[in-house]
Amino acid sequence: MNDASAAKGHSDPRVLDRETCVLRYSLDRWAAARADDAFVFFENGDVWSFGEVRRRTIAIAAGLSRLGVDQGDHVAMCLPNGREALLTFFAINYLGAVFVPFNTAYKGNILQHVIGNSDAEVIVMHGQLAGLLADIDRARLRTVVLVGAGAAPPELEQLPFDDLEGDEAQLPQLRRPIEPWDTQSIIYTSGTTGPSKGVLSSYLHLYTNPGPESWHFVTGEDRFLVNMPMFHIGGVGLSNAMLARGGSIAMMENFSTEAFWPFVARTGCTAVFLLGAMATFLLKQPPSNAERQHSVRLAFLVPLTGNHREVAERFGVDIYTIFNMTEVSTPIVSDPNPHKPGTCGKVRPGVEVRLVDDHDCEVGIGEVGEMLVRTDRPWAMNHGYYKNPEATAEAWRNGWFHTGDAFRRDEDGYYYFVDRVKDAIRRRGENISSFEVEAEVIAHPDILEAAAVGVPSEFSEDDVLVAVAPVPGRPVDPAQLTRFLAERMPHFMVPRYLRILDDLPKTPTEKVRKHILRNEGVTADTWDREVAGLRIRRQRL
């Protein structure tokens, strides 16, 4: 093996060297080359350079080491976005330990499940959440590091976050170099349909997920807004990706419609990531000067909504879209300002994609099938679900990762998301995409957000129920909304039931908890168009 191969630790050109994709070495590299250049902007106005981030990261890493955290150990975190969350993430990985973030909304049995599954002995936790540990089985947990006021159960060792700080001289030597294939994080799925699963991500997977091969239009000159939580791939992945590129980030605790444009303007963001609902919220705000007085040049819009051209024109940005999830690494990516409505884009280089039926047999052009993915680069996708061999085997059967998402592709190679396989609705012999129903409902000017689910029908199969949240100050007339939809969609897709709610039940990552709506079914406050006598004309050829 030559000197270059020895430095990389392998001879496979597809697997990047440690300095490129391992967080510790990336941070060291940029802090040495550009110590005074800004890396992170916070909501309170603080700005930290690469050198400052490295110094603070090492201080926290030294403190975690004093608590017994060693290379390869799992360390949990339950914090909102902010300086402590970023430092905790970086410090855990700087030690070569595994970063295990928890959703800040977890409590009770859900919190108990992830604590038990994680094997973490140390958790860094917001003080206001620490009391949630009192009434659950804490498994191997022994130490709680508290951010802010609060107290953990007295049986646990606890100390303030500020007491962690040490210096570089106290930092232990690594037992061995941190490798690209080592586990960097365990990120739990949102658990909208069942117990959360811990996704095992290597350093090379987390690097590749929003990496230069797929997000090739994001460079080290960009400053990316991080407003997705640090227990989500959107928060962890973006922070990691911009560090690897030598770019910078601006961190918000969470998405805020009113604060969005002022914050990105003040911090000089050039790139933002918008879930479809976020874009809808911004579009339904009254126009303002702030929405054009910014440095943003590109926006990811996921999924690509029917109003993406309006987003581009109103806010003066280029629109990109992708298909991605925690387990994969952006297999589908679009060109700027996609011309095909509803597309996610095409397969990127280095990835293979198949659309298959229930038996993993490939479906034809225009037919709907579950998306299966694999990559040419080793370790560029998840390597399983932690302590869940059954789920791992099910997801990775036949040598392909099964996404659980239904897609179709056209003759030009563009892919279109249809639905989560488990969210598809079947009504009187017709397959209905809840995603497509929701897109048409949100097109109504009085609707802020919508979720479509199937509920049992007296005629077998499903009827369509849509829960909506109105734009504040705009009442929704169910009959008028139904007539609006009847002009825009096939008769069999027009919902029978409408529920009007102040807010839809969601996870902190803004995913609607459809299982709650599905389980609640037709409630006393649900409007039924058949009871109302509103008939929908069946289209005839």
Side-chain angles (χ1 to χ4, degrees):
M1 184 179 291
N2 60 32
D3 291 342
S5 296
K8 292 178 70 171
H10 59 83
S11 58
D12 190 332
R14 298 168 301 174
V15 177
L16 303 175
D17 59 83
R18 304 173 190 126
E19 284 68 26
T20 298
C21 64
V22 173
L23 186 147
R24 176 175 176 138
Y25 307 131
S26 290
L27 182 55
D28 286 349
R29 175 164 53 98
W30 293 117
R34 295 167 48 200
D36 297 328
D37 289 355
F39 172 67
V40 57
F41 294 71
F42 294 105
E43 284 187 273
N44 67 355
D46 286 352
V47 181
W48 292 353
S49 67
F50 285 102
E52 178 79 352
V53 170
R54 182 182 183 274
R55 182 187 68 77
R56 290 175 178 268
T57 294
I58 288 174
I60 300 303
L64 290 172
S65 178
R66 289 199 309 272
L67 296 179
V69 176
D70 199 359
Q71 189 171 358
D73 288 347
H74 296 185
V75 183
M77 184 189 85
C78 192
L79 292 176
N81 281 11
R83 49 197 289 162
E84 294 87 1
L86 185 70
L87 287 177
T88 299
F89 168 33
F90 281 17
I92 291 168
N93 279 171
Y94 204 87
L95 289 171
V98 179
F99 176 58
V100 190
F102 294 159
N103 189 318
T104 54
Y106 284 168
K107 56 185 174 183
N109 290 335
I110 301 175
L111 181 60
Q112 179 173 295
H113 163 70
V114 294
I115 287 175
N117 181 262
S118 72
D119 287 334
E121 296 185 8
V122 176
I123 185 171
V124 181
M125 196 171 197
H126 197 282
Q128 293 180 5
L129 302 176
L132 298 172
L133 300 172
D135 299 321
I136 63 173
D137 181 353
R138 297 181 288 273
R140 298 175 59 182
L141 199 64
R142 58 175 174 78
T143 303
V144 182
V145 179
L146 296 168
V147 175
E155 299 84 7
L156 296 172
E157 177 188 10
Q158 50 193 299
L159 73 158
F161 184 84
D162 290 344
D163 286 1
L164 281 183
E165 293 199 5
D167 58 47
E168 192 162 0
Q170 299 171 305
L171 199 67
Q173 293 293 314
L174 295 173
R175 295 195 306 274
R176 61 167 178 80
I178 305 170
E179 300 290 3
W181 46 82
D182 286 343
T183 301
Q184 179 176 8
S185 65
I186 301 174
I187 298 177
Y188 285 88
T189 59
S190 57
T192 56
T193 58
S196 297
K197 300 189 293 289
V199 179
L200 289 160
S201 292
S202 67
Y203 284 90
L204 194 50
H205 172 213
L206 205 56
Y207 171 90
T208 308
N209 191 300
E213 300 88 349
S214 51
W215 297 27
H216 55 86
F217 33 78
V218 178
T219 75
E221 301 298 315
D222 281 308
R223 180 165 302 145
F224 219 117
L225 173 68
V226 176
N227 60 358
M228 297 293 285
M230 294 294 290
F231 51 77
H232 183 277
I233 188 63
V236 174
L238 284 175
S239 302
N240 190 74
M242 297 315 292
L243 174 65
R245 284 171 169 83
S248 56
I249 60 175
M251 182 170 284
M252 293 183 78
E253 182 171 336
N254 47 51
F255 174 79
S256 165
T257 307
E258 294 76 18
F260 182 84
W261 291 118
F263 181 77
V264 298
R266 185 171 72 251
T267 55
C269 288
T270 61
V272 300
F273 195 101
L274 297 173
L275 298 177
M278 295 175 181
T280 300
F281 294 167
L282 293 173
L283 283 175
K284 295 193 175 184
Q285 286 288 104
S288 68
N289 292 332
E291 66 189 30
R292 298 288 299 204
Q293 295 174 347
H294 56 75
S295 303
V296 177
R297 66 179 186 89
L298 67 90
F300 285 84
L301 184 54
V302 182
L304 189 71
T305 56
N307 54 16
H308 71 277
R309 291 186 178 87
E310 183 183 357
V311 175
E313 292 169 5
R314 177 169 165 180
F315 303 135
V317 298
D318 283 330
I319 296 295
Y320 291 82
T321 194
I322 57 174
F323 168 70
N324 199 16
M325 56 194 302
T326 307
E327 291 93 330
V328 298
S329 49
T330 317
I332 308 291
V333 62
S334 78
D335 293 326
N337 305 310
H339 65 281
K340 292 202 173 191
T343 186
C344 297
K346 292 184 174 182
V347 179
R348 71 167 175 85
V351 174
E352 293 180 79
V353 166
R354 297 174 63 218
L355 302 185
V356 303
D357 62 17
D358 292 342
H359 307 289
D360 284 5
C361 297
E362 199 142 357
V363 301
I365 299 296
E367 296 180 28
V368 175
E370 181 183 5
M371 180 178 283
L372 275 53
V373 182
R374 66 185 182 189
T375 56
D376 178 58
R377 171 180 286 167
W379 301 100
M381 292 172 58
N382 78 90
H383 52 283
Y385 297 108
Y386 188 58
K387 291 169 55 177
N388 196 337
E390 296 84 3
T392 300
E394 176 68 14
W396 278 103
R397 65 187 184 274
N398 291 326
W400 293 75
F401 181 76
H402 292 61
T403 65
D405 287 322
F407 278 79
R408 61 179 176 85
R409 69 184 182 279
D410 67 20
E411 61 280 359
D412 297 322
Y414 287 89
Y415 284 75
Y416 302 81
F417 175 78
V418 176
D419 215 336
R420 287 292 294 170
V421 171
K422 293 179 180 178
D423 286 341
I425 303 167
R426 187 167 177 84
R427 179 183 183 272
R428 302 181 194 180
E430 300 281 1
N431 292 314
I432 298 172
S433 163
S434 66
F435 173 77
E436 291 177 341
V437 173
E438 291 157 4
E440 297 300 334
V441 176
I442 292 172
H444 191 284
D446 295 338
I447 303 301
L448 189 61
E449 51 186 346
V453 298
V455 294
S457 168
E458 65 264 37
F459 304 109
S460 79
E461 297 184 333
D462 297 324
D463 274 315
V464 181
L465 181 150
V466 175
V468 302
V471 174
R474 297 188 191 175
V476 174
D477 179 345
Q480 190 275 330
L481 175 58
T482 301
R483 288 190 289 268
F484 171 86
L485 296 174
E487 296 297 321
R488 301 174 65 93
M489 60 173 59
H491 71 279
F492 61 84
M493 291 177 65
V494 178
R496 173 178 173 177
Y497 299 109
L498 289 169
R499 286 187 67 191
I500 302 171
L501 304 172
D502 292 335
D503 297 289
L504 300 186
K506 291 191 290 292
T507 71
T509 57
E510 295 301 310
K511 290 183 180 179
V512 176
R513 296 184 185 272
K514 287 190 175 182
H515 68 287
I516 293 177
L517 299 172
R518 196 178 290 116
N519 292 340
E520 290 176 347
V522 180
T523 57
D525 62 347
T526 300
W527 182 84
D528 181 348
R529 67 175 166 86
E530 294 196 3
V531 171
L534 185 62
R535 302 299 175 189
I536 301 301
R537 181 175 59 86
R538 184 186 181 98
Q539 295 94 331
R540 299 289 185 184
L541 295 178

